Amino acid sequence: MSGVCFKIGPPRLVGIEVEWFVHDNRCPTGPVLPERLHAALDSLPLGGPDGTSLPSGARLTLEPGGQVELSSPPAPGLTACVDETRRDLAALRAAFAAQGLRLTGTGTDPLARPRLMVLDHPRYLAMERFFDSAGPWGRIMMTGTASVQVCLDAGAEEGPQALDRRWRLAHRLGPVLVAAFANSPLLDGKPTGHRSTRQTVWSRMDPSRTLAPGPDHGDPREAWSRYVLDAEVLCIRRPGGLPWTAPAGLTFRDWLAGAGERPPTLADLDYHRTTLFPPVRPQGHLELRMIDAQPGDGWIVPTALVTALLEDPPAADAALAALDPLGCADGPLPPRSDVWRRAATLAVADPGLRRAALACFAAADAALGRLPGAERLRAVVAEYAERYPARGRCPADDQLDALRAGTRPTPPEEAAP
């Protein structure tokens, strides 16, 4: 399992997954029917290396609530990833605009409109049943949240880019990323009291699949293997239209030990891993999952920040030193620890998180200054740092300001930086 989930080698590839809510320009508070979503997607110039993706190789998928996700192919560096993704998103926005639809970048759907399951795949039906048994959070996550996910190589066996070091930094960065990019203060059109309601939702779901795999020291491969085996089985694939629901309380370890209706296969194990949602998920590469969706091309800033900090060893050293006072390794596991709760509720209005965020942005600025061809990205990241964490603000505050001013709480889609 460890060879599949952690592909070891010198880091060089960067990827991004961006999710968007879809709103009707004429009736933003109404649901968007699946037919219109598919019409927009079908109008895109698909082709790519597999015949089903955008020409760059990016994949487009629909999430259960009708959110659109664009997953970039692995790119040889930060600037290539940003340039290709911007081109793809321009085509995506144009296709949806032609259908009278807009893409909205927020961590939760800010409008009071029905949250509907637009996909009836047996996976999502099993997920709905599994999560409904523990409250509303799973259904809200499936139909009412969206994120930015930054994907980087797992790392080398040893040295400044060693896997265990990158794994530790990715987890310790988590609360700062939640706080600096918090962008989900509203749900059903009302303030929730949390700057990142999306992160709060994730913290209240099944802990066997949403907590971090364990302490941030030791071998990540061993911690992840235990985590996978101890997580409850969410669904079991069955042929012939049979439901995919799993027995309540069945872990994969139990299944291997003889519980369940049949012995599990390697394919079952691989599929089980896709139903686990910790803050940092190993997929061969490291997938950072704690960042709220951003308006416009705001996804560029967290992508550049995370890449700069993990790929530049001096920046990584500076970030780890800045994050140490937060005590991220102490107490309950993320995202249920105190610092993660403060990040979701207060964001960078919390003094400790603000200091750590500003230090991380400064380290990233220095790293981007050392990266050839990254001058414009460096300027965009610096502008964001000045606009938000330097003032104790995050994008969620823009939504709250608009709500207090009596304007529609859907944030404007900004021009590309």
Side-chain angles (χ1 to χ4, degrees), residues 51-64:
T52 61
S53 59
L54 289 167
S56 70
R59 293 181 294 106
L60 295 171
T61 53
L62 288 179
E63 295 297 300

Side-chain angles (χ1 to χ4, degrees), residues 376-411:
R376 190 176 183 196
L377 286 175
R378 185 184 185 188
V380 170
V381 173
E383 190 279 333
Y384 187 97
E386 176 60 30
R387 179 180 179 184
Y388 289 116
R391 302 179 185 182
R393 290 177 60 87
C394 60
D397 293 305
D398 294 343
Q399 292 195 51
L400 293 171
D401 288 348
L403 187 67
R404 283 189 287 266
T407 56
R408 196 175 72 188
T410 305

Side-chain angles (χ1 to χ4, degrees), residues 32-33 119 178 262 369:
V32 177
L33 296 178
L119 301 180
V178 171
R262 60 168 175 81

